Amino acid sequence: MGSSDKHENNGRNTPEHEPRGPRTRLSRFRLPGLRRKNSRRIRPAPGTKPGIDAFSGTDTPPSPGEVTIQCVDYGPARLAIREVEDLGAFLKQARPGGAVVRWIDVNGLHPFTVKLVQEAFDLHTLAAEDILNVPQRPTVDFYEKDLFIITRMLTREDDHLIARQISMAFLGDTLITFRERGGDFWAPIRERLKIEGARIRTSDASYLLYALLDAVVDCNFPMLEAYGEELEAMEASVCERPGPPVLRKIHSLKRELTTLRKVIWPMREVIDALHRDERQRLSPTTRVFLRDVYAHITQVLDIIETYRDESNGLADLYMSSVSNRMNDVMKVLTLMASFFIPITFLAGVYGMNFQYIPELKAHYGYPVFWGACAAISLGMWLYFRRKGWIGRP
Amino acid sequence: MGSSDKHENNGRNTPEHEPRGPRTRLSRFRLPGLRRKNSRRIRPAPGTKPGIDAFSGTDTPPSPGEVTIQCVDYGPARLAIREVEDLGAFLKQARPGGAVVRWIDVNGLHPFTVKLVQEAFDLHTLAAEDILNVPQRPTVDFYEKDLFIITRMLTREDDHLIARQISMAFLGDTLITFRERGGDFWAPIRERLKIEGARIRTSDASYLLYALLDAVVDCNFPMLEAYGEELEAMEASVCERPGPPVLRKIHSLKRELTTLRKVIWPMREVIDALHRDERQRLSPTTRVFLRDVYAHITQVLDIIETYRDESNGLADLYMSSVSNRMNDVMKVLTLMASFFIPITFLAGVYGMNFQYIPELKAHYGYPVFWGACAAISLGMWLYFRRKGWIGRP
Amino acid sequence: MGSSDKHENNGRNTPEHEPRGPRTRLSRFRLPGLRRKNSRRIRPAPGTKPGIDAFSGTDTPPSPGEVTIQCVDYGPARLAIREVEDLGAFLKQARPGGAVVRWIDVNGLHPFTVKLVQEAFDLHTLAAEDILNVPQRPTVDFYEKDLFIITRMLTREDDHLIARQISMAFLGDTLITFRERGGDFWAPIRERLKIEGARIRTSDASYLLYALLDAVVDCNFPMLEAYGEELEAMEASVCERPGPPVLRKIHSLKRELTTLRKVIWPMREVIDALHRDERQRLSPTTRVFLRDVYAHITQVLDIIETYRDESNGLADLYMSSVSNRMNDVMKVLTLMASFFIPITFLAGVYGMNFQYIPELKAHYGYPVFWGACAAISLGMWLYFRRKGWIGRP
Amino acid sequence: MGSSDKHENNGRNTPEHEPRGPRTRLSRFRLPGLRRKNSRRIRPAPGTKPGIDAFSGTDTPPSPGEVTIQCVDYGPARLAIREVEDLGAFLKQARPGGAVVRWIDVNGLHPFTVKLVQEAFDLHTLAAEDILNVPQRPTVDFYEKDLFIITRMLTREDDHLIARQISMAFLGDTLITFRERGGDFWAPIRERLKIEGARIRTSDASYLLYALLDAVVDCNFPMLEAYGEELEAMEASVCERPGPPVLRKIHSLKRELTTLRKVIWPMREVIDALHRDERQRLSPTTRVFLRDVYAHITQVLDIIETYRDESNGLADLYMSSVSNRMNDVMKVLTLMASFFIPITFLAGVYGMNFQYIPELKAHYGYPVFWGACAAISLGMWLYFRRKGWIGRP
Amino acid sequence: MGSSDKHENNGRNTPEHEPRGPRTRLSRFRLPGLRRKNSRRIRPAPGTKPGIDAFSGTDTPPSPGEVTIQCVDYGPARLAIREVEDLGAFLKQARPGGAVVRWIDVNGLHPFTVKLVQEAFDLHTLAAEDILNVPQRPTVDFYEKDLFIITRMLTREDDHLIARQISMAFLGDTLITFRERGGDFWAPIRERLKIEGARIRTSDASYLLYALLDAVVDCNFPMLEAYGEELEAMEASVCERPGPPVLRKIHSLKRELTTLRKVIWPMREVIDALHRDERQRLSPTTRVFLRDVYAHITQVLDIIETYRDESNGLADLYMSSVSNRMNDVMKVLTLMASFFIPITFLAGVYGMNFQYIPELKAHYGYPVFWGACAAISLGMWLYFRRKGWIGRP
């Protein structure tokens, strides 16, 4: 598709005043085990028009603090970081001299902001819709020279898996990142930018794109370590005290790992597509480094797969442990019953009030009764011993 | 295949008077968990001739209200919406001036109507058969310039999953849609058509096709939300009160999600085939938008897959909960029996009527008996405590 | 492979008098859940020579009624149907004038008949072996101009799944079909042939091939309907009265559906290979119609897959129901035991014959005993109520 | 790879005197359920040099009877079969006149014999290693004109699955087969060779290769029949008398079928590779016949797959049967306990020795007691009847 | 990617002084069932710069004994093996005359050593990172002339599966191997190198690479034998004494085999990529031998797959055994209860103190009571016999 497609959404050329469908209900695709944070979930109603204009807040600026924008202009010899207050005015300013790369980081999603940026940089209207319409499946759209990437930053906060959508528009010498509000994941990147002579300073925008993707992927490792530790802890619990809490924990681990795999799998395809991109939109150096990101994300998926197998194994182990325990309980019951039921019957017999029960008159009746009880118990004991129910755990 | 194939079914040229096979039995391919509505299910007997003529009602017009037809003619400057009463007469009329696109929407399936349309537009006889012979697998047939698409509109009404077949014949500047009777899913599209200057008004018929497919796909999202909420509600039920109703509900959820996946999977192939179509039957702009529909349907399938995993997880959790509960029940039984069986035996012993039972004469026999009972119970209690059956839930 | 390969088996040119291996044992590849009818199962011993000559009855004509042969010669203006008594003489006769297509239908498999036909039409010796050596996997062999197709007609008779092999040799203007004895599945086709002007009369032999394949595939639909109804009926049984008969029924349904899938899957490949055949052995019109057969068989496989999922779901539901029932049984036992065991002990205590049991002397001892029993029962009731075992099903 | 690769292992050119690693331990890759016969299992230690020289017995001739070698020279007009006593001398003799094909069949594996043959025919040193280093995965190695094939002959002896490796070196007009000692599987082939004018006599060496592969594949059919009969017999056992022996039998059937599939799957790839071989090492006629072998092995795999499904189904059925039985046992226990526990309590009550129990004095006390017992039992009976535990199996 | 990519990491050209992120925490990707030995696990924090400089110890030389380096220079006529003490000095020395191949083996991983080697041989900075950042997924990176290979040496020590990463840099006539500290796996290779005239001495560096990879792959066989023996031993245990220890053992076997498969699978891809390498970096002879390594690793994976199936089968067998045992226990309990509960009730009846119980007065009351008990027991015995609970195991 050519630039004509891309440009046809320029607001000034095709002012569309189509009606908007009902937009009252928040969509809630709760992926099991996954929490999302700090962002309104808005999905246009079926049948309404596509694109950014389908959202209702495009005319109202966001309230203060809802969206913060940071612009970093840098080159080998120059670095300027500033907070953008008035986006409209900022977009009309020229870039400072000596800055080879501009990186605009939009923290927080709002239709007004996104529409401003979309119009200023001629993004496709569907790309703008995808930025807002979280969660989207991680994907990359290739345009003639530009790239539009959707990815997800996964973290674990307060024992909950949280996914924040990060959209990146790569426009040659400019990189725009949109992200759902949350922790400052770009801090190490900014630190590296501050070092004069660092490779990230002397490289082009595609290296910055690589650095961001690398950070997104590597964020998974500390999370996976936490899962690994939990699984290790679970194994002891399963054998020692199987019970509903352990069961629920296993179930929730399985669910989170399944969700994790679902989210990360398409991200691998994104990295792979970027790495294989034959149009040379990214510099060769960057693509060598992307191969490394690809190896990392493959390793992440391998570990997730291993942990899923492990959690499935734990679930099986749990079921087997429960069966084992039930077996133990049943054995105790059966042993108790088998030992006492016959001799209780015998005691009942000699409690009967028949007039003519010769044994009752016998002088040694009572000791003989105890002897019989002991004999019966011994017989039982030998029987169960042979069955292997006694003497071996 | 060329137009010769397509034309050879023109009724006037090849009047076929072949006999018809028995058509008494209604076919009933009940997909588990799926209800179909308002449409006769008719499947020709094996071995009878193919095509529209295999159906028995081609000569009898439908009863009033059984089929309603709406025709929308529009262009950038013109819009005419009218209900078609006499289809035969309508098909002979010319198109109004200024109308670039004609959209004929046939609501309700009847052999007579389908045959009229098929002859007027030279549709392939097998396409006409597929329109009537519901349910068909979603598919797209490519002709030289035309397209014939079968898809399904899924809704959830009264707790039942309902699928209505929607067939679309795309003939360059004309789009004909056939659908099983039901709710008015096209209303938002018609609203957008009424806006002068809207992109849908200024674009060609392929954009209308896109808009309809987009509506069909996006209809799944509210339905999936409902499933997501049900699954969330189920999880609490499974742990708190596992029982046959919960079990049946899980089973039916699993079944509906499996059916959903089966129905939607081929729809993705349809969208993909349309998007990749190299013959340029659809305009490039439309194909960019179709890529977005493809992303949506992929996301729908992802969510379904996640929900299926979740429902399978719930089924496992249910089984484990039942086992846990059974374990609890068994433990209580065993504890009760273990505490009382030995001391009941003891009581039986001293209820015996032997003449010479020395303990019975002893003054403190009775309190000593209680002491023995207490000692036995304490021993049991310590034993079960050590086993972990008492004191921890 | 060229015609040289095909011709080299002509009996007159290469009279082979090789010894035959032992042929006493009937091979019995019982596919689970599948019955075969009316045909000897003969499989040559390992290591013996390949081809039709490996069979032992090639010199003895079949007994009367074992094999019936029908020949249909037709063209737009002519139709001749006749029973063939003396195959040898018939094969030497010329075809009647005006007959464009000859269809020889051999009902019943016998080495003598197959060898006669093989020699008259120069079929490959391995094809002749496959005709006799039932069951073969459905397959299609492409020769320079000819086709050799093996398929299976599936029916359900007396609650048993029955598969009959149908082999078709397509030789340009002649179609020869061999089938295991059974019901007359070609009757609707012959009826259509009798209509003058019908498409099947005016088309070439490939259309007849299509019509036969279409009948074979569509025969599955009534069978699937029967399975659908059985599955629906099973679901009620599983929840209401789970027991060994239900279990066996589910097991046999699962097995039959698995076998069905195994048999039909390669038939889809056959249809697909015919449709994609690039050598134009079949006319373009026929190939358009074959696409429809392909869609049908895909739908058949979809339905089978759905029914298999459903039967697996029923098996799971069965297991869960059994567990639920066991749980119920255990609960009743535990409740009974828990209520009565303590008070039975108490009754035993006051049945003891100790001389000094003060309670026995007390005037209100007996009513107080009943009060104690009531109190214990009430305590138990409250405990089980709190556990949720009483009062909720 | 060219002939240079193949020749570089010629012992005379590159005499290697490398040290050999420890070779004391026999390798034992017991495939579960599979027995191997009559052959030493020798696997070189990790890190030692590759090829035939890694084996320790290359200098010592085999003891008499350990290895028997048969040479068959034949052509349309000539057939000579002889036992080879002195292999070294034999390899230097010229081939008799009129013999088009030479087939050397080595029965029994010994490093000395293999090395002699390898040097005489310039086989690759790794091929010679694979001949000895059983079991190898079935495979085919393509050289410029030659083929080296490893396959497995499967038989069932004394209720055990036995696999013997058969290696074949196809060298244009010479075929050398090496096999582990065992039954004479080539007897039918030799019988066919004795018939003058038989196709196998008049064809080239590739047809002999086909005949041997066909025999190897067809050997599976009698074995599969045996499995089919066992599975049929198992099904009755599972429902009638489930118990540990049945369970172990199912487990061992599952295992053998899994192993069978693992062994035969790569053999299909071998046949497929031979059939698709584009270098025309095999004659066109042979390749037509190989297609038939391919169809046979596909059918073998289909049957194995079906039997595996069936054995899995039996395992599930077994588990369900056990659950059903346990349910029955529990029901009987619960019924017994529920009927007798209350009335036993009642009997205990009236066995108490309280001084003032008014009922004891009543004249009709005893009959009333029996009436109460009957009433309680009736109540229980009605309750369990309503629950469906009595009266329906 | 060209050499420019490879060279750009040369430390002298691009001195980077970027800050390092926090490096306090050791990463711990415990693959379940897999132990790693003798190596610090260091993973850079997300967002920090890539490459060797991300590690903190690049300036501090390793403590003595932490890293040992051996250099082998050899050619057909020369062999020099020496321990390298001062790596910096060594790297500046010239290679001795007559040595065609140089093999540097670094035993032990340390940032300082790796950085020295990386700078001396211009390895890519990401390759150096991967050497240190264990565990990495086995992989091969292709450069213009060079190869960088990561693989894993698997051993089983003290009942634990241990994986050591081995990285190999193939630079035409030089091979550098880095490995985690552990046993001396290269000893057999060095022995072969000492033989004058051995193929490994007369071949180029790619043959050495093959020999090392062959040793790595063949190391799996003794380990698999151990697993095979354990599985065989488990099977007896499962049937004879199922219990928690057996269960845990099965679980851990399953886990180790799953991990094994995960680790070895990518190694197969590595071997395959090397074998298919079209750039002729490896000599044709070596590639023939690599095909053999590929066959070995395929066989390893086959065996692992078989063992995994087997361990799954054992887990199923275990569950069935537990069910069987529980069934046995329940049967004994039910039999005991069923025999004694009715007659205990009877004894209770005649222990009642009603004034008018006529049976008590009867002279033969007591013997008749015993007769009744015997009759009841016989009835029970016949009932259970018919049910099949008695008399058959």
Side-chain angles (χ1 to χ4, degrees), chain D residues 11 17 21 40 50 53 74 84 163 174 177 190 217 228 249 255 270 301 328 333 367:
Chain D
H17 308 288
R40 296 175 302 166
D53 296 303
Y74 69 87
V84 177
T174 304
T177 53
R190 275 197 304 271
V217 168
K249 185 80 197 158
R255 201 165 50 182
V270 168
L301 284 167
D328 278 6
L333 173 62

Side-chain angles (χ1 to χ4, degrees), chain D residues 1 8-9 18-19 30 32 47 50 135 137 255 258 262 318 330 336 340 350-353 360 366, chain E residues 192 195 198-199 210 221 232 235 285 291 299 302 306 309-310 320 324 330 334 341 353 355 359 380 389:
Chain D
M1 111 207 30
E8 73 186 1
N9 295 294
E18 308 185 10
R30 203 185 60 91
R137 202 174 192 262
R255 201 165 50 182
T258 302
K262 285 245 162 63
Y318 178 87
M330 292 305 300
M336 289 305 290
F340 284 101
Y350 293 109
M352 290 192 301
N353 296 320
L360 294 181
Y366 185 55
Chain E
R192 278 160 67 190
I195 316 288
R199 181 181 293 143
Y210 147 74
F221 285 108
E232 208 168 343
E235 200 189 332
T285 310
R291 200 172 55 181
Q299 203 183 359
D302 268 14
T306 308
D309 286 355
E310 180 71 2
S320 305
N324 269 334
M330 292 304 300
T334 302
I341 280 182
N353 297 321
Q355 280 188 334
E359 297 94 317
M380 285 289 165
W389 297 1

Side-chain angles (χ1 to χ4, degrees), chain A residues 47 135 137 255 318 330 350, chain B residues 192 299 310 324 330 353:
Chain A
R137 201 174 193 264
R255 203 165 49 183
Y318 178 87
M330 291 302 302
Y350 294 109
Chain B
R192 277 159 68 190
Q299 204 184 358
E310 179 72 3
N324 269 334
M330 292 303 300
N353 298 319

Side-chain angles (χ1 to χ4, degrees), chain C residues 168-180:
Chain C
M168 301 177 178
F170 173 77
L171 312 164
D173 57 357
T174 304
L175 184 71
I176 312 171
T177 53
F178 300 87
R179 54 190 168 103
E180 299 187 63

